[in-house]
Amino acid sequence: MNVQFDFSGRHAVVFGGTTGINLGIAQAFARAGARVTVASRKQANVDAAVATLGDGALGLVADVRDEASVASALAQAAATHGPIDVLVSGAAGNFLAEVNGMSSNAFKVVVDIDLIGSFHVARQAYAHLRKPGASIIFITAPQAVVAMPHQAHVGAAKAGVDQFARVLALEWGPAGVRVNAISPGPIQGTEGMQRLAPQIQDGDATLRAIVPLGRMGTTQDIAHLAMFLGSDAASYVSGAVIACDGGAQGMLTPMISGAIAAQAPAR
Ligand code: COA
Ligand code: NAP
């Protein structure tokens, strides 16, 4: 598919950008000419990601739960590539666990990564954004709006991300900063799908019943939306949480229920 954007001279920073959907976004911005910075916890992931991003890409180790580590990464990114034009906050953690099978720390670890991490990334990036014209994109999930079993931690965290994005759009809009969120549907070949519904494959009858467009999404589908949101074509789009899910409208519960049934004995 030939979708063209030009991000020459612009700087895109992707937190959690070393694997999966977020790496796909970073690669798309790099192909469109942006100077790209990616950051995540594991050096091996950072190195592997940077090797796919072309000359000049910057890879940094940072844990979004640690505000000082986020601040340090952003300072290095700005010192290397200049002010930030597009900031993507996509780091996340997930596992299937019912509330009765989850410790307080298990609930908290996902809230810390997904929600508090998003706060750290946005709050610390503000001073480095090239405002006006800068754009922030959070990566949220359908669990934010649709109740899914064994996903209380993720639902609570991502619902917080959605509302955080909307409030930031109000507070930072007057400075010319746009803030949006992308809610991906089931994306092929990703860690998220492996953890939630590993039995689902393209062509599967359950998938076709759930997704009107009849297929899983690709990381490129999400990257195209991210590039639109980061571009001047979206200059009047802010405070939006946009699904990119083939029309599934978040109704992915049957997939997850299937995975739970496959894993756990019936009660
Ligand atoms: N069921 C119940 N509890 C679980 C669990 C599961 N499947 N997996 C982890 N936990 C609990 C742990 O037992 C621990 O709680 P405890 O201290 O009370 O024992 C808590 O969660 C934190 O686990 P820990 O392994 O110490 O966290 P971590 O910081 O090393 O890793 C995770 C964070 C658990 C989210 C890990 O899965 C991760 O790093 N994920 C990133 C990748 C990912 O999830 N990608 C998909 C994105 S959609
Ligand atoms: P993924 O490959 O596991 O991506 C998560 C990324 O976040 C990894 O690069 C990971 O790298 C990084 N990360 C995790 N914890 C971190 C932390 N504490 N600090 C910094 N970085 C951290 O998963 P994915 O499936 O592509 O999901 C990407 C995003 O899309 C997530 O926000 C997820 O909620 C959302 N999403 C996914 C789907 C799907 O179908 N996959 C559907 C809806 C929403 P390190 O391990 O190196 O830290």
Side-chain angles (χ1 to χ4, degrees), residues 16 18-19 21 40-42 45 63-64 90 140 158 184-185 187 190 192:
T18 62
T19 63
I21 290 172
S40 78
R41 293 167 304 173
K42 298 178 191 143
N45 285 347
D63 188 326
V64 297
T140 181
K158 293 293 198 182
I187 306 301
T190 57

Side-chain angles (χ1 to χ4, degrees), residues 41-42 65 92-97 101-106 109-110 113 191-192 195:
R41 293 167 304 173
K42 298 178 191 143
R65 293 170 288 189
N94 199 358
F95 45 83
L96 285 174
M102 190 188 297
S103 67
S104 163
N105 194 42
V109 76
V110 170
I113 300 169
E191 183 64 26
R195 288 178 181 230

Side-chain angles (χ1 to χ4, degrees), residues 9-25:
R10 302 204 191 178
H11 181 193
V13 175
V14 186
F15 275 84
T18 62
T19 63
I21 290 172
N22 305 319
L23 175 59
I25 292 172

Side-chain angles (χ1 to χ4, degrees), residues 228-251:
F228 166 69
L229 288 174
S231 77
D232 297 340
S235 62
Y236 202 53
V237 181
S238 195
V241 178
I242 302 177
C244 186
D245 66 356
Q249 302 181 54
M251 300 309 290

